[in-house]
Amino acid sequence: MAEAKRLLSYNNGKKNSVNRYRTSGSSSFSEQPPRGKRALLCCVSYRNQKFELKGTTHDLKNMRSLLVEQFRFPLDAILILAEKERYSPPTRKNIEDGFQWLMRGIQPGDSLVFYFSGHGLRQRGLHGDEIDGYDETICPLDFQTNGMILDNYINTTLVRPLIRGVTLHAIIDSCHSGTVLDLPLVYNMNTRRKWDDNSPRNEESSCNKGTNGGKAISISACQDYQQAADTSAFSPEKKNMTGAMTCIFVRAVKGGAASNNGKKITYQGILDHMHQSLNQEEKVSCVGAGFRRALRRKIFQDPLLSSSEEFDTETEFKL
């Protein structure tokens, strides 16, 4: 909680200036998203603020490349929100509008992707639907003035409307992101093939964390109580800052295909690769939410898989 207070108290003394950005190179809010594959990529750097992140620019490049080159997502099926001149800024309103775009007119057979790279926080829950008593959040560019986006809202907007035959993959690279989609099942890495119940413990809670027949899968950077690193440890020659989770996730998918001689890439294989990569890394220069400068520390984050329904993690990973 102290970490959240530190981050929320940062103020550079002036309001964020938001220009009218073009959306060249990606889809736009007003366009009807195409059938089949579509993705919403949100990368927040918090430029010129005390808690600025340096790695989200490379995160965007890596994720966009993965979707287009590896999974054949059409360029006009990707909506990008980022602090780069060609895109719309990742404000709270734009992210929420992006959610609506992603879900607009979904039909059986559609494959949806929501990716977020930025800060995440947690706050005391008020709905009795959290096992640990805390709601997880993501922080838009303007979260200090317009607020954070809570896991309850993300679940209501992206998870519950999923109809049968539609699959959503969320890839979340932020602190405290473990159950940020509020999905009812969490995969237990310590007991293989076992899913833990993440449903509300309060019998009076009316919260429903499931879908409307579709399937939601989330791969998060860390457990709810952990921080996620913005680090140069995994870049070539350790020069470029990236989100640790994004970098090793992309490597797991791309590298797994090359190293296994065509053997299918599975959810379990991706999780194993990510955990091994993080555990092998020694002290690195990294920045998490609440850190005002780069510190030398070991990365302590355990990527988490959650889902709206149980499935075999040896299933092939597809987007």
Side-chain angles (χ1 to χ4, degrees):
M1 229 17 219
E3 174 197 352
K5 291 178 180 178
R6 286 197 299 272
L7 182 56
L8 286 169
S9 66
Y10 286 152
N11 191 335
N12 61 3
K14 55 184 179 181
K15 293 182 179 180
N16 299 322
S17 60
V18 180
N19 299 319
R20 186 175 181 178
Y21 290 97
R22 294 177 289 112
T23 55
S24 155
S26 73
S27 186
S28 66
F29 299 112
S30 61
E31 297 174 353
Q32 175 62 36
R35 280 295 319 280
K37 299 184 177 186
R38 69 179 80 159
L40 171 64
L41 309 184
C42 301
C43 296
V44 198
S45 299
Y46 314 93
R47 190 177 297 168
N48 299 323
Q49 300 185 59
K50 292 183 179 180
F51 43 87
E52 180 175 357
L53 293 173
K54 301 294 186 180
T56 56
T57 298
H58 290 99
D59 291 343
L60 171 57
K61 179 180 178 181
N62 291 336
M63 279 302 302
R64 183 176 180 272
S65 173
L66 181 72
L67 293 179
V68 173
E69 297 174 8
Q70 187 92 357
F71 294 103
R72 306 303 179 193
F73 274 66
L75 291 176
D76 65 354
I78 301 175
L79 176 60
I80 297 174
L81 303 178
E83 292 162 81
K84 298 184 69 174
E85 191 170 325
R86 64 192 298 188
Y87 304 120
S88 296
T91 61
R92 177 172 180 171
K93 182 181 187 306
N94 282 347
I95 292 176
E96 292 179 352
D97 286 348
F99 287 170
Q100 298 299 326
W101 174 89
L102 186 65
M103 304 302 293
R104 188 183 303 156
I106 56 174
Q107 298 182 40
D110 287 348
S111 175
L112 316 178
V113 173
F114 168 52
Y115 171 73
F116 179 83
S117 174
H119 281 306
L121 292 170
R122 63 204 306 234
Q123 64 182 34
R124 182 70 66 179
L126 301 175
H127 304 93
D129 61 329
E130 298 286 349
I131 294 176
D132 61 1
Y134 288 91
D135 284 322
E136 285 66 50
T137 74
I138 58 174
C139 299
L141 175 63
D142 57 348
F143 77 96
Q144 291 184 98
T145 54
N146 290 321
M148 300 176 286
I149 299 177
L150 272 66
D151 51 6
N152 301 73
Y153 179 85
I154 297 174
N155 182 275
T156 300
T157 309
L158 295 184
V159 176
R160 294 190 201 176
L162 293 171
I163 59 175
R164 187 173 302 279
V166 178
T167 300
L168 167 73
H169 282 87
I171 302 160
I172 313 295
D173 194 351
S174 64
C175 295
H176 312 298
S177 55
T179 62
V180 75
L181 259 69
D182 260 354
L183 297 178
L185 294 165
V186 173
Y187 186 65
N188 191 327
M189 280 291 289
N190 297 321
T191 307
R192 294 297 180 91
R193 304 182 187 281
K194 182 179 183 299
W195 291 86
D196 293 335
D197 186 4
N198 188 49
S199 300
R201 292 295 187 267
N202 185 350
E203 293 183 0
E204 297 179 359
S205 173
S206 60
C207 295
N208 172 22
K209 299 189 178 188
T211 71
N212 191 30
K215 187 173 185 179
I217 298 172
S218 176
I219 301 177
S220 303
C222 59
Q223 304 278 339
D224 287 340
Y225 61 89
Q226 293 177 324
Q227 293 182 356
D230 195 41
T231 177
S232 61
F234 300 101
S235 68
E237 301 180 0
K238 301 188 183 300
K239 289 185 176 180
N240 297 324
M241 295 288 283
T242 64
M245 181 267 192
T246 298
C247 186
I248 60 177
F249 170 78
V250 171
R251 285 187 183 180
V253 176
K254 288 188 173 181
S259 61
N260 291 328
N261 297 319
K263 184 179 178 181
K264 67 180 182 180
I265 305 167
T266 66
Y267 291 88
Q268 188 67 59
I270 291 173
L271 286 174
D272 289 342
H273 178 93
M274 294 173 70
H275 279 268
Q276 290 166 7
S277 296
L278 288 167
N279 290 335
Q280 288 171 1
E281 191 59 45
E282 295 296 332
K283 290 182 179 180
V284 297
S285 177
C286 55
V287 180
F291 286 82
R292 294 184 57 180
R293 63 184 184 278
L295 302 176
R296 297 290 293 181
R297 70 179 180 89
K298 184 176 176 60
I299 295 179
F300 289 105
Q301 65 182 89
D302 300 303
L304 189 71
L305 174 69
S306 58
S307 177
S308 59
E309 61 185 62
E310 290 191 25
F311 68 92
D312 185 352
T313 56
E314 295 294 346
T315 301
E316 183 175 5
F317 177 81
K318 293 181 180 180
L319 295 178

